[in-house]
Amino acid sequence: MSTTSLSKKNDYYFDKQSAERAVAFIETHIRHCKGELAGKLFILEEWQKKDLIEPIFGWKHKETGLRKYRSVYCEIARKNGKSSLGAAIGLYLLFADSELGSEIFSCAGDRAQASIIFDLAKRMIQQDKALSSKAKVFRNAITFPSKGNTYKVLSADASLQHGHNPNGILFDELHTQKSRELYDTMVTGTGARTQPLLFTMTTAGSSKTDGNICWEVHEYARKVKEGIINDDTFLPVLYAAETEDDIQDPATWRKANPNLGVSITEDYLKNEAKRAAELPSYENTFKRLHLNIWTTAVSKWISDSVWMENYEDIDMESLKGQKCWGGLDLASTMDLSSLVLYFPMEEQKDVVLVFFWCPEASAELRGRKYKLPYDEWIADGYIKATEGDVQDYEYIRKDINEIIELYDLQSIAYDRWNSSQLIIQLAQQDGIPMSQFGQGYRSMSAPCKELEKLVLKKQLNHLNNPVLRWQCENVQLQTDPAQNIKINKAKSSEKVDGMVALVMALGEMMTDESPGDSIYNDRGILTF
């Protein structure tokens, strides 16, 4: 994007002196605070000058002389220096903008995120004699007394932010906003200002749903850029790869990373792209954070070809008396229930032993409806069919007690929100150690990631259980902004209870604090 390409209407002109003044302020007074460049002057890259600083501060309205752009939306991949650039813009508004009594604010999804840019700004002031002599720096505020200007960091609580009169808003990582309230509150507060500036910086998000403020602004920016919407006051700056681009191609990386070779290296992206190829759960994360491609929070997990590489014949007698940890997923009265026993092995692949139960009538119905070989799975012993059309929990209880007699069971994890009379009976009457296991990211993420690594390294033996294989294909993963993962039962294409039980069993083993009990006390968690 060049400065000349923006001059399409006679209402505006490019004030070269104002543009150069903004560039000069940054390159004279602002210094880097991190990495190899720490302490050195911030010399703007060509894209930073031509796509952002010069258009923002150079384009003006002919009649009023005020800035053309009131809102800037910059969507860019991580590690491209957007925080430093945001802090530099904030300081220019604080010290060099024409309006007296300016109020500049750093906003984000939480106070910690908003403080990133603000804290950088404080350190930039401390490194410059001219700025530090004119400013007063406090914990959550910077003031420029001679002009009555202030720069503050705000919490994410929108209900506390009414009444502000912002001249500058630095909105970081808009995709983390849980609602649109803070964004709307701050934007509507600019009404009394003559030339307010909303500068939004963000990477792509993982939710394209209605009501997601970042997706809404992204789509608005895209339409302005493509000429679908005519808004002279809005500057869209989007750096992103296309969904069909080869994620291993350096040319793809350059599309989303204009600072490639400066603040982010090609070797780093090469390693991350390799990781994305090896870890299915990381592919969407790589696309979103490093290629700036909008993804969904839900993604497919382990491919069938990789899953089937994790099988070998063993002597089942060798498992008798071996230590194991269990995961129990109890279904509704008409569905599959599953018990997984996880055996960590010293000199061979870890073994997964799975047991399924299903009401006979339900198995027949599901087999016809979904064209699944329930009858074959029952005949081959992979599913035990209980009489009737509802789950026979007493039958399952008897079965579990008989099964665990063969092995050195340490404990069985179960969904704490789906406990039933059966759980109480197993624990209190049968003396089986039962352990509550949460279904959220906090409990599920670590064992999900560990299971993925075990499968990719071919260190798991699922004994070629066809029901578990089918359920593995059904799994859809859900990812949160912190890159935690879990199985999404609601979005998965069909039943996944066996995989959930497997994750719980592995998680139960990983969190076992008994000295010497868990192989993870010695082996540790797998890494690539």
Side-chain angles (χ1 to χ4, degrees):
M1 184 189 299
S2 67
T3 53
T4 56
S5 67
L6 293 168
S7 183
K8 296 180 180 179
K9 294 191 176 182
N10 295 327
D11 293 342
Y12 305 98
Y13 72 101
F14 185 72
D15 186 339
K16 185 179 179 181
Q17 186 176 358
S18 291
E20 290 178 346
R21 181 171 180 262
V23 171
F25 173 88
I26 293 172
E27 295 187 341
T28 302
H29 296 289
I30 305 301
R31 294 179 182 272
H32 291 281
C33 300
K34 296 180 179 180
E36 295 180 358
L37 296 175
K40 295 182 179 180
L41 286 171
F42 189 161
I43 304 303
L44 292 165
E45 297 299 318
E46 195 68 9
W47 68 271
Q48 292 171 325
K49 285 195 291 188
K50 300 302 181 184
D51 292 357
L52 289 164
I53 300 301
E54 290 182 353
I56 292 171
F57 297 104
W59 282 105
K60 296 183 178 180
H61 198 284
K62 283 184 176 179
E63 291 185 5
T64 64
L66 299 176
R67 286 193 295 265
K68 173 183 179 181
Y69 294 112
R70 305 294 185 90
S71 183
V72 181
Y73 180 78
C74 179
E75 198 173 272
I76 191 169
R78 270 191 181 178
K79 298 185 180 292
N80 279 270
K82 67 177 184 299
S83 295
S84 294
L85 186 61
I89 290 174
L91 291 179
Y92 182 78
L93 294 174
L94 178 68
F95 289 104
D97 206 23
S98 60
E99 190 158 347
L100 299 177
S102 288
E103 295 179 20
I104 299 100
F105 297 95
S106 278
C107 305
D110 56 49
R111 193 181 191 93
Q113 182 68 48
S115 295
I116 292 175
I117 292 178
F118 180 79
D119 289 343
L120 279 174
K122 289 199 297 185
R123 291 168 65 184
M124 288 171 175
I125 290 174
Q126 292 164 356
Q127 293 184 101
D128 186 80
K129 290 182 179 179
L131 298 185
S132 60
S133 67
K134 296 177 181 180
K136 291 186 177 180
V137 179
F138 304 97
R139 180 178 180 181
N140 295 317
I142 305 168
T143 64
F144 182 21
S146 65
K147 280 193 172 184
N149 296 349
T150 61
Y151 176 16
K152 297 180 180 179
V153 60
L154 296 182
S155 70
D157 190 345
S159 64
L160 302 177
Q161 310 310 339
H162 292 277
H164 293 304
N165 185 20
N167 185 57
I169 304 167
L170 306 171
F171 224 116
D172 194 21
E173 298 297 7
L174 186 60
H175 73 93
T176 65
Q177 286 296 304
K178 295 179 180 179
S179 74
R180 61 179 303 126
E181 190 175 357
L182 178 60
Y183 184 87
D184 289 344
T185 298
M186 297 307 295
V187 171
T188 55
T190 63
R193 294 294 184 174
T194 58
Q195 51 177 6
L197 178 66
L198 167 64
F199 186 71
T200 301
M201 304 150 287
T202 188
T203 51
S206 60
S207 175
K208 301 179 182 180
T209 58
D210 292 339
N212 181 298
I213 183 59
C214 191
W215 176 247
E216 180 181 313
V217 179
H218 162 87
E219 281 294 276
Y220 189 87
R222 178 185 63 81
K223 291 174 182 177
V224 171
K225 186 172 184 176
E226 294 175 1
I228 299 170
I229 293 176
N230 181 25
D231 185 347
D232 293 333
T233 68
F234 190 100
L235 176 63
V237 182
L238 308 173
Y239 305 99
E242 303 295 331
T243 54
E244 65 272 13
D245 286 342
D246 179 4
I247 68 172
Q248 304 296 328
D249 187 348
T252 300
W253 310 338
R254 283 191 286 273
K255 289 182 179 181
N257 296 274
N259 236 31
L260 187 60
V262 182
S263 61
I264 186 168
T265 66
E266 191 164 301
D267 282 344
Y268 172 81
L269 289 177
K270 183 178 180 180
N271 290 333
E272 293 300 289
K274 182 175 180 290
R275 183 184 174 200
E278 294 172 341
L279 286 172
S281 65
Y282 186 66
E283 182 177 338
N284 269 8
T285 299
F286 176 76
K287 287 181 177 180
R288 185 172 66 82
L289 298 183
H290 294 302
L291 300 182
N292 216 32
I293 296 172
W294 278 78
T295 62
T296 62
V298 178
S299 59
K300 291 289 285 184
W301 198 14
I302 300 167
S303 69
D304 184 62
S305 60
V306 173
W307 179 255
M308 290 309 293
E309 291 176 346
N310 285 265
Y311 159 63
E312 60 186 35
D313 288 320
I314 64 167
D315 179 4
M316 296 300 292
E317 292 293 314
S318 67
L319 295 179
K320 289 185 176 179
Q322 292 284 343
K323 281 185 178 179
C324 63
W325 283 258
L328 179 62
D329 190 285
L330 294 175
S332 62
T333 56
M334 297 181 63
D335 240 325
L336 279 169
S337 288
S338 57
L339 170 69
V340 170
L341 298 182
Y342 192 96
F343 296 82
M345 309 299 285
E346 293 290 350
E347 298 181 358
Q348 64 186 60
K349 296 177 181 180
D350 292 355
V351 176
V352 174
L353 189 57
V354 193
F355 304 88
F356 291 99
W357 297 270
C358 186
E360 191 174 44
S362 178
E364 183 180 349
L365 177 64
R366 292 182 64 81
R368 287 199 314 269
K369 183 176 180 179
Y370 299 104
K371 295 181 172 57
L372 292 167
Y374 269 72
D375 54 345
E376 293 180 18
W377 292 339
I378 291 171
D380 292 339
Y382 294 110
I383 297 177
K384 290 191 176 182
T386 60
E387 292 184 2
D389 56 3
V390 295
Q391 199 72 266
D392 188 340
Y393 290 117
E394 190 56 40
Y395 181 98
I396 295 175
R397 176 189 174 191
K398 179 175 177 293
D399 240 10
I400 290 175
N401 276 276
E402 291 177 357
I403 290 166
I404 64 173
E405 283 293 318
L406 302 173
Y407 312 109
D408 184 8
L409 176 72
Q410 302 302 297
S411 60
I412 296 178
Y414 67 93
D415 180 358
R416 62 188 176 194
W417 297 112
N418 192 26
S419 58
S420 65
Q421 186 63 29
L422 174 59
I423 299 295
I424 297 173
Q425 291 171 331
L426 291 171
Q428 296 183 2
Q429 297 181 29
D430 303 332
I432 298 174
M434 306 296 294
S435 176
Q436 293 184 349
F437 203 93
Q439 302 299 292
Y441 290 112
R442 181 177 180 180
S443 299
M444 299 293 281
S445 184
C448 277
K449 289 181 178 179
E450 182 69 4
L451 176 59
E452 182 179 68
K453 293 172 187 174
L454 286 163
V455 171
L456 292 172
K457 288 197 168 189
K458 303 178 182 62
Q459 293 187 6
L460 192 78
N461 186 2
H462 49 63
L463 302 176
N464 199 22
N465 186 297
V467 186
L468 192 63
R469 176 185 182 182
W470 162 66
Q471 294 195 353
C472 182
E473 284 192 281
N474 296 335
V475 170
Q476 293 277 350
L477 278 188
Q478 186 168 358
T479 309
D480 73 359
Q483 311 318 312
N484 296 304
I485 62 175
K486 67 176 182 177
I487 294 174
N488 188 316
K489 288 186 178 183
K491 296 292 184 179
S492 295
S493 57
E494 244 284 2
K495 301 302 297 177
V496 293
D497 50 282
M499 293 298 293
V500 172
L502 170 54
V503 170
M504 287 197 292
L506 179 56
E508 185 70 2
M509 181 182 71
M510 291 170 65
T511 55
D512 193 316
E513 297 179 352
S514 303
D517 274 351
S518 173
I519 193 172
Y520 281 82
N521 291 330
D522 301 315
R523 185 177 78 185
I525 295 175
L526 292 177
T527 58
F528 280 96

